[in-house]
Amino acid sequence: MVPGEVHALLGENGAGKSTLIKIISGVYKPDGGEMRLDGKLVAFSNPREAQAGGIATIYQELSLYPELTVAENIFMGHAPRRQVGPVKVVNWSEMTVRAKEILASLNIHDLDVRRKVGSLSVGNRQRVEIAKALSINARILIMDEPTAALTEADVIRLFEIVRLLRQRGVAIIYISHRLGEVFELADRVTVLRDGQYVGTNEVKDVTPDHLISMMVGRTIDNLFPKLDTTVGAPVLEVRNLWNKPLCRDVSFQVRAGEIVGLAGLVGSGRSELAQTIFGFTPAQSGEIILNGQTIRVRNPGDAMKHGIAYVPEDRGTQGLIREMRIRENVSLAVLKTLTRTGFINSPAERDLAAHAIEQLGIRAYSPEQLVSKLSGGNQQKVVVSKWLASKPKVLIMDEPTRGVDVGAKAEIHRLISELASQGLAILMISSELPEVLGMSDRVLVMREGRIVAEFARKDATQENVVSAMMREASEPNGVPTPQGVLQ
Amino acid sequence: MTATASPVTRPPVQARSGGFLSRALSFLFTQEVILFLVLVVLIVLVGSANPRYVAERNFINILNGNAYIAVAAIGMSMVIISRNIDISIGSLIGVLGTLSGTIAINGYPIWASWLVPIVAGALVGAVIGFLVAYLRIPAIVVTLGLLSILKGGLITITGGAWITDLPSDYFLAQMKSPAFSFLGLNVPEIPSPILLMIILTILAAIWMRYSTTGRAIYAVGGNAEAARLSGISEKRIIMTVFIINGITAGIAAVLWATQLSIIQSTVPAGLELQIITSAVVGGVSILGGIGTTVGAMLAAILLSAINSALVFINISPYWFRAVVGVLILVTVLADRLRRQRNRASERG
Amino acid sequence: PTAAQDRWDGADDLPVNPLECPAAEGAGEASPAEMSMPEYDGGQPTDAPDLAGQPIVLVDVPKLVGIGYFAATTLGQQQAAEELGNVTVTTDAPTEANIDDQIAVIDNYITQGVNGILFAANDPVAIAPVLTRALESGIHVVGYDANSEPAAREWFVNQAEFNGIAKAMIDSMVAEIGADGSFAIVTSTFTTPNQARWIAEMQAYQGKCYPELTWLETVEAQEDNVLSFNQATTLINKYGPDLDGIFGMTSVATPAAADAVAQAGLCAVDAVAGAAGSAEDAVAVVGLATPNAMKPYVTGDFAGCVKSVVLWNPIDLGYAAVYVLRAVVDGEFAPGDTSVMAGRLGELQVVNGSEVLLGPPFIYTAENIDGFDF
Amino acid sequence: MTTIRQMDEQNPGAKFRRFLLRQEIILFIILTIAIILLTLGSDKFLTVDNLLNQGRLLTEIALVALPMTFIIVTGGIDLSVGSIMGLCAILLGYMWNPSGPFQWPLELAVIFSLVVGTLCGVINGLIIVRIGVPPLITTLATLALYRGLAEGISQARSVRNYPESFYVLGQGTFLGVPTQLWVVLIFVLITAIVLSRTVFGRSLYAIGNNELGARFSGIPVGVYKIIIYGFSGFMSGMAAWIFVSRVTTTRSDMGSGLELDAIAAVVLGGTSIFGGSGSIIGTVIGFVLIQLLKNGLALAGVTTDGTIVVIGTVLIFAILINNYIQRRVSAGK
Ligand SMILES: Nc1ncnc2c1ncn2[C@@H]1O[C@H](COP(=O)(O)OP(=O)(O)OP(=O)(O)O)[C@@H](O)[C@H]1O
Ligand SMILES: Nc1ncnc2c1ncn2[C@@H]1O[C@H](COP(=O)(O)OP(=O)(O)OP(=O)(O)O)[C@@H](O)[C@H]1O
Ligand SMILES: [Mg+2]
Ligand SMILES: [Mg+2]
């Protein structure tokens, strides 16, 4: 690594990228080998030493304190201090000011540094995570999939920051599954496979296909294998759905065999909408209609009974029971169908899990493996397979490929297409615009809790969608109507 | 304002979201302020029913007689904030109090009988901390075991013999301190338990808010994994927290032992529940990461004031505990509703 | 009595039998109960081995271990065992006065196979099944301090009859606060049988002899001295000058109540360096307690705070219990007998069918208290 | 990857080793060692009579420890069990009391007290689920409340002189085994099967590991929690019924301290206090071990205070050993 370099680290899910950076930043101890910083041999036995050595890390799994404020989260462990008599005490006012400065340098002005992190959306938490790493004044900044939870606009901002840091001479290790980002940002790229070093190249010397074959050992011809399907009758229809604050008078429909993409900025209310339909946060008013019949959805159980499945956006806290086995996770949503008079049918459960592992190519040595021991991408595959097992009529997927490597991504995309062609109605929420554009038959755009635009596949261009996402809310109907009183 | 608030108000930086008014309002409804208001309401109501309740002496007595619980609740709230618990604390106080008395009647200097229990408490705390932090046994398990060990061990060793004939200068808790007279204030002499309680609470509150270790306790309780990644040594923090808890237990034990001319060398029954209840009613979240020592102290005072008030307003003692249970429940529910309201307003 | 219940006096609702008032003394002492001596109503062990004159192993299960009172009864038992030479006694009991645990302790000793069990029951009825089991296993059972249902044991060594204690308590209180004073009570818990009985008898005796006494209220304080202190302090603050006396119903509550009075500066005599209030405000403390715990308030630093402490001698109580059990084993004491020899205590009378009476309660005062050490 | 998997399945030695190192097996070994030592300590210990008699004494703790396992598996705790037991005992006597205000038939009084016990548990559950108060705080408050109700209702009066037939449950035998031991056995079987084999049991583990994830999987988390707290209340009522039948009287202080004994049994049985793992078998070993220690040590001449010191030490060391071995096992994987 040289100062001012952006060095990308690539590899499939489970290739060992996160593990490598955790070794570098002192979380794990290496079994052997050596590490040099400024030519000097170093060995960090804990993260504090690494931080003192100027290495700041943004980990893949968010690591924040939900009950503490944004400012405290940013400065935990190295709060600005002030001398009072003989002792040094935490300087709260400076902390607030500096937190604001850091956020401002990231062009973030809408985040109150005294809010509790627990009340923030995933996207905002990711921003806090970045600010936290920047607060260390690092010489080496390691970012493990920082953009996985970000929307385009945030990604652009983040890139600006990265470039800024590069100019300041900070060396950056950048992990991402989005190849585009690598080509846009990185100077050099290293590929890992199964924990082994495969090779390092100058970015200008390689092509995406070349990188993919280095990572996967083969080439992938189509990342968005969209099948043409015949779109049938409406399966899911939503009318005037209200669930304040982030679901305002939403109406749309999804037809059999159709993939509807839902785009929007962070916090535009897409997840909220999905969770309302799924009954996690039941609607305050409005109708959910399934196959022509109005249904009542008061909790996820109701939704599942009617054949609605939801792949949540945060696999760690929402999608998986990480301390349980793959088998137990895959069957969790369909246990009722796997029972004989209330008892779990173990052979059927094992078959289901084995099938899931095979179908999605989950890298695990056995269905009995704990999910927490899988790499991030493989965990994501487990969530997807869990909901596929429920054989839904409507599948809502919230960021289905977050943190998934290209190979698996193509896999999941192909699966989505296949499911649609089998007549499933799919609502896909994604912050990755190419994914939305590449996979959807129709694109809906959400902003501030409302659906503000709808594009057919042929009209859905990057510019159209982005401008609908970003447009200032200036229409007269931006004022909430008293429709909330309805019901 | 967040639950990490402490008596020291934060710098008044104007917030982008939420006006000054809502901020002021949310400060008004921190757990500490609520507890204080409940206390005031209680005093006014009971005082108007029976004016002797508000007599200065009664109040001093209530505080004096229960200060040891409040002192122990300081350490306990730190333990709970770090997402641990100590259910052996009642037994520990019994053992340390007996230790203190034993030292005093065996001709050692009085200061030793006050100091040794505190040091011994710190040592026991270190042992608990070691078992929890390094051998990774959950704190509830360690202290459940320790509770039995201390309780049984105390009786095995003392045979239940009371300690009497204590030297007359031993009774720390009965001494009054002219602490404020040098400030030229016309404050009556304050009994030392109350003074200690106030000083320790303030010190702890400041330490929890302004020291990096104090902040790290919140971090470890809030998200231990994240704390580790921020370079905070979880093990060291857990050790620290239990050692402090041992120290406050030692101080509480000395206050407990020096209150009366007899030391009953047994474990005060149910004391651990009183202390834990004080901490949680004081707003310390059992899930870690939230709470203040001031709240814990206020809750300890409130609970003892309630106990005394029930006698004053002639509630049948047969129904005492039911009333106390309802009151705890009401306090906790009120706190819950407040938090839900706050969350709703944060979202809206 | 319903009126009493309104004051939450902590009394039980069994029949009472108040003694004669002091004025009528002389005629009263020959208790009429003795005339119509009821039949023996205790139980008998089944197939108890004949161990007359042989060494026996006894276990003593008091209500709890860890309080001075039962440390004293244990001491008495050891003295008796030493004198007799052929008795071994071990004391074992729960660390809290808890009937569940007490049953388990006794149960284990039945299995272990001791020759005799001495007990002080936490609950007279709940303990009966396990004691019956002991009798059925051929183990001799003798109670002291706190009785069980008669059929579940052979004899009960009664430290002093309930009405006797009640009389001594009320008389001592009246001597200090006059026949028209008002008092409150600090007891352990309302469910403790002995205390409830005493309070009931006190009530009956007061109603009969001193109707002008005002009965304020009874508070619970477990067997915890700090809690007792706090409760006594609360009473003092609540009633102010309206409170003339406090009864301590346990050996824990009485010294704590005395401490509360002393720390409030309400001792009757100004032996306490000028701290005593006027006689008007003073609060008298009368109660059941061991002498050592009360010396500071009777003759020590706070001399005069407490004038009279009512108690039998718990050492003698434990001592007598062991002698009674030995006599039963040796066949020297059987149903129908009217007295039993108990070593240095001499001959003890049988009352109420199957109870051995230790004697009248003893009242410790400044004159005699220093002669006792327990 | 496939190679590891095959190796794993084909190597019976490894499989056996894993079986040996399972939590319950280790506990069982500890129990066996304890039994051997206690047998050496007293020849009265390992006799059928003594062991059956111990079965009688452990009934109440066993009955509340079973639902406590469910609750702790979900990451909760129930401190109010002892107080519910006290309240149920009092109600049983109070409603039946032939000289009391109600004078109900005994059967009705028993059913009523069981219903109230269940209701107390359901109230705990409702406060926890609907209002979101953490279980520890909720049950700390109801610990005081339910005990207070028991004291208030009883006014310190006890009820005794039940008909002889009532004592069968607490003092009788069936097929030579104490009646209540059969009750324990039945509930052990039911709870063990429910926890390990059913959807309900699996869901409890899921809730304990990740409640949010469980909710997103469509598990009716709130309903399940209310059910288990209700069940806990019901079992406290059962314990009260059996206890009253055993000791033939009611007192408002019955069952005080029961919660810590039950929790100790569950925790000793290897159930993680943080939720997500544990088993009924473990809990059974836990309460059996505690009871046998109490009994065996007493028979060997150790007094009660010494015994509780030993039990506290065993608790810490059992968990320590288990933790150590489990960590080695998972590191070896
Ligand atoms: N806590 C753990 N314990 C044991 N093995 C683990 C653990 N975490 C990950 N692994 C294994 O280590 C390997 C490397 O995982 P790692 O998380 O480094 O992958 P990654 O390259 O970051 O993948 P992704 O792109 O999915 O994040 C994987 O095979 C995974 O199963
Ligand atoms: N501007 C905001 N101010 C306050 N809270 C917000 C804001 N935006 C989002 N939130 C919170 O974040 C949560 C996440 O919103 P939601 O997940 O529905 O949005 P999203 O479009 O899916 O965005 P994301 O990409 O972050 O998931 C909401 O429930 C809301 O509480
Ligand atoms: Mg990774
Ligand atoms: Mg979202």
Side-chain angles (χ1 to χ4, degrees), chain A residues 9-22 28 60-61 144-145 175-177 192 194-195 315 322 363-365 369-380 402-405, chain D residues 1 330 333:
Chain A
L9 198 54
L10 290 185
E12 279 183 280
N13 289 133
K17 306 179 293 290
S18 302
T19 309
L20 175 65
I21 63 124
K22 281 187 177 167
Y28 299 153
Q60 186 172 13
E61 310 296 337
D144 195 352
E145 303 195 30
I175 299 177
S176 177
H177 287 295
L192 294 181
D194 288 342
R315 60 177 171 263
R322 293 180 71 234
R363 262 172 195 270
Y365 57 74
Q369 199 175 354
L370 291 184
V371 167
S372 60
K373 301 272 159 96
L374 296 179
S375 74
N378 281 308
Q379 291 182 10
Q380 183 67 32
R402 171 191 287 183
V404 172
D405 70 41
Chain D
M1 292 289 134
S330 59
K333 241 185 211 171

Side-chain angles (χ1 to χ4, degrees), chain C residues 264-281:
Chain C
L266 294 173
C267 287
V269 176
D270 23 26
V272 191
S278 64
E280 277 300 285
D281 296 342

